[in-house]
Amino acid sequence: MNTEKQLKEAAEPDIFGSEQMRKPAPDKFIPEHKTPASIAYQMVKDETFPQTQPRLNLATFVTTYMDDYGTRLMNESVGINYIDETEYPRVAVMCGRCINMVANMWHSPEEADWKTGAVGIGSSEACMLGGVAAWLRWRERRKAQGKPLDKPNLVMSTAYQVVWEKFCQLWQIEMRTVPLTLEHPTLDIEKAIGMCDENTICIVPIAGVTWTGMNDDIQALDAALEEFNAKTGYDIPIHVDAASGGFILPFLNPDKVWDFRLKWVLSISTSGHKYGLVYPGLGWVVWKDRKYLPGDMSFSVNYLGANISQVGLNFSRPAAQILAQYYNFIHLGMEGYREIHSNSMEIARYCHDAIGKMPCFENYSKDLDNPLFIWYMKPEYDKKANWTLFDLQDKLMQSGWMVPAYTMPKNIEDMTVMRVVVRQGMSRDMADMLIEDIRNAVAELDKLEYPTPTRQAALKAEKQKGKVYTH
């Protein structure tokens, strides 16, 4: 008589002998018939297999490694909807605790037991919430003064993350951008102040610019804004986009004044799924005090028998990341975060130094603010090379690395750079392998007798602009 185990084994399909494995994967319509779970799993798994392994992806800021307990906790809570506070009341409590911890990490002066903040799907939603709050506060001031509301603007550098462009487009706010230059690789404060007027809802400095890894000088901006507001009678605040730096500065440079210790910093946003060390997606935004969060942003709804107040743009959202963030805070503590980020910074400095010593490359900045950096080809080397950094990116992909090449923002868009982001999961041995693979790739590219397609395109563009580079 067959046992239950024998019956199960007999029913289990032979995956690679199945009909599904010899047909293309569905791409237009939901299949008419069921597919055994083991085969469906294998089909999805196989399609992702050839991609770069997450820990070799040095392009992304997003967490690609969590320990077994954190991963397990997220897997066990994947079905929990954060907004169901009546069903999962302790999740709401843990979320509030996380906001408290993040706010206090940034030296919040608010005396309330529960600090004023919100959770988001990522730093993009957190930026949106900070921007909306600044816009609504500006509107209320203008209404009280009996002045027009039709010309709001926001000021930041051209090194903005695309969410700010999205925010300004959706809420019809003029985006005034200060160009980056080689002389001013971060926000030019004098020019930023010069762009402000009575319609400026806020200035947005960045702690951890995605393009370069550098930090805007927020303390100097605050001082300049204090003088400007006193002279004009304006009330222009600062929202800090600290998507990366918000979880780096408190641990690696705690004495640097950039946060709520500054008078005009009224809100800060960050990403929990970057250097907060949680798998995506998670963001946090905190206000200096409850009075800076407009009441119009808090919506109350009777949901599952309770009156729930919600600030975020999203209503339903997974609770798993919130639990994982709280787990990290308990497990790692200040000491653990400091150790992990110190290691990342040390490895980033090691890579920065090694790449900067290569005869063909020049580092964009001398020192590192965060565990990421960019570099470019030396002009004299670039003139004679038959390849570009885009070709180097392609070569490194063949070894499994994702190291992006891209052009810089407006005003210095002729400059092509490469970037390395070092995160938890990057070891010194991996760094050595990366450096060796870069050296080998450069050696191969230097042997090319003729320009690559990307070099030909660059030469054509240079010729059109009147440059005299020839090969």
Side-chain angles (χ1 to χ4, degrees):
M1 191 171 181
N2 287 336
T3 64
E4 184 177 341
K5 182 179 178 183
Q6 288 172 326
L7 288 170
K8 184 178 179 181
E9 288 175 350
E12 193 70 29
D14 182 356
I15 294 174
F16 291 100
S18 66
E19 180 183 359
Q20 289 88 347
M21 282 295 173
R22 60 178 182 268
K23 290 183 177 180
D27 62 352
K28 291 185 174 63
F29 303 100
I30 297 175
E32 183 66 31
H33 302 292
K34 295 188 293 184
T35 299
S38 58
I39 296 176
Y41 168 85
Q42 193 66 46
M43 290 172 72
V44 175
K45 182 74 174 175
D46 287 352
E47 194 151 346
T48 60
F49 182 75
Q51 299 177 134
T52 298
Q53 297 304 302
R55 287 174 62 193
L56 299 186
N57 183 356
L58 305 183
T60 184
F61 290 78
V62 174
T63 296
T64 54
Y65 169 84
M66 285 188 71
D67 65 36
D68 290 342
Y69 286 101
T71 303
R72 181 169 139 194
L73 189 63
M74 289 191 71
N75 288 338
E76 291 172 351
S77 55
V78 72
I80 298 176
N81 185 4
Y82 160 69
I83 206 63
D84 294 350
E85 292 185 9
T86 49
E87 190 175 355
Y88 313 111
R90 301 311 299 177
V91 174
V93 172
M94 283 186 275
C95 183
R97 290 172 179 171
C98 286
I99 290 171
N100 278 350
M101 292 175 181
V102 171
N104 287 324
M105 183 173 70
W106 294 334
H107 300 92
S108 168
E110 190 174 15
E111 295 181 358
D113 289 337
W114 296 101
K115 306 294 187 181
T116 303
V119 63
I121 294 295
S123 57
S124 292
E125 183 182 0
C127 287
M128 286 268 190
L129 293 171
V132 169
W135 173 59
L136 290 176
R137 292 196 308 268
W138 172 84
R139 283 173 59 89
E140 286 305 309
R141 287 197 305 272
R142 300 287 286 180
K143 282 180 184 178
Q145 296 165 353
K147 293 183 178 180
L149 309 174
D150 59 336
K151 294 182 179 178
N153 67 71
L154 173 149
V155 177
M156 67 188 309
S157 81
T158 51
Y160 61 82
Q161 209 272 347
V162 71
V163 64
W164 289 107
E165 188 173 2
K166 224 183 253 191
F167 165 72
C168 289
Q169 179 66 33
L170 292 175
W171 274 272
Q172 292 298 286
I173 294 167
E174 180 191 356
M175 190 175 193
R176 297 181 176 177
T177 55
V178 182
L180 293 186
T181 66
L182 294 179
E183 294 74 30
H184 291 280
T186 57
L187 180 68
D188 185 327
I189 293 170
E190 185 178 345
K191 287 187 177 179
I193 295 293
M195 290 183 178
C196 294
D197 58 29
E198 63 180 351
N199 293 310
T200 303
I201 66 170
C202 66
I203 301 180
V204 183
I206 305 170
V209 174
T210 58
W211 296 81
T212 65
M214 303 174 76
N215 294 334
D216 290 337
D217 190 341
I218 302 166
Q219 187 172 19
L221 174 63
D222 185 79
L225 199 53
E226 168 69 7
E227 183 180 344
F228 181 75
N229 283 338
K231 181 175 68 176
T232 60
Y234 298 156
D235 198 23
I236 299 171
I238 293 171
H239 171 85
V240 182
D241 180 349
S244 297
F247 269 102
I248 294 292
L249 285 164
F251 301 105
L252 299 190
N253 200 351
D255 294 330
K256 187 175 181 65
V257 179
W258 66 276
D259 50 22
F260 290 127
R261 287 170 286 185
L262 298 174
K263 177 179 177 178
W264 292 102
V265 174
L266 302 190
S267 55
I268 304 172
S269 56
T270 194
S271 174
H273 66 231
K274 293 186 175 74
Y275 289 102
L277 307 181
V278 174
Y279 285 138
L282 182 67
W284 301 103
V285 58
V286 177
W287 286 271
K288 197 169 203 167
D289 190 273
R290 184 161 295 278
K291 65 184 177 183
Y292 299 119
L293 175 62
D296 290 347
M297 289 181 65
S298 184
F299 291 86
S300 294
V301 61
N302 190 291
Y303 190 63
L304 296 180
N307 196 45
I308 294 171
S309 293
Q310 202 259 356
V311 174
L313 299 176
N314 293 282
F315 193 67
S316 292
R317 59 147 294 132
Q321 289 84 354
I322 297 168
L323 272 59
Q325 185 76 89
Y326 189 48
Y327 162 78
N328 275 348
F329 287 161
I330 296 172
H331 169 55
L332 295 174
M334 294 292 289
E335 178 186 30
Y337 270 98
R338 195 177 298 115
E339 289 173 349
I340 290 169
H341 293 335
S342 293
N343 280 355
S344 294
M345 186 65 90
E346 186 175 332
I347 291 168
R349 288 194 181 108
Y350 172 76
C351 294
H352 181 261
D353 183 59
I355 290 171
K357 288 178 179 176
M358 294 183 187
C360 50
F361 299 138
E362 186 83 33
N363 283 324
Y364 185 76
S365 60
K366 181 180 177 182
D367 301 310
L368 300 190
D369 291 334
N370 296 284
L372 61 133
F373 64 93
I374 62 173
W375 71 92
Y376 55 93
M377 288 180 72
K378 289 180 178 177
E380 62 273 19
Y381 200 96
D382 187 44
K383 289 178 183 179
K384 63 182 181 180
N386 280 322
W387 54 278
T388 70
L389 293 181
F390 294 104
D391 299 305
L392 178 56
Q393 173 183 306
D394 186 60
K395 276 284 184 187
L396 292 175
M397 284 182 70
Q398 295 172 25
S399 301
W401 300 102
M402 183 60 230
V403 182
Y406 53 89
T407 55
M408 290 291 277
K410 186 178 179 181
N411 209 54
I412 50 173
E413 65 269 23
D414 288 344
M415 177 182 284
T416 300
V417 299
M418 292 192 86
R419 183 185 72 202
V420 160
V421 180
V422 177
R423 308 176 308 281
Q424 178 179 213
M426 180 76 168
S427 67
R428 169 61 187 269
D429 281 346
M430 290 173 66
D432 284 332
M433 288 188 286
L434 170 67
I435 299 303
E436 186 63 24
D437 284 341
I438 290 175
R439 288 196 181 104
N440 291 339
V442 168
E444 283 189 43
L445 290 167
D446 277 344
K447 293 176 183 177
L448 294 174
E449 295 182 18
Y450 303 101
T452 64
T454 63
R455 171 50 77 195
Q456 290 174 17
L459 290 171
K460 184 178 179 181
E462 289 161 2
K463 187 176 181 181
Q464 289 173 344
K465 291 183 179 180
K467 294 184 179 179
V468 293
Y469 297 175
T470 58
H471 284 254

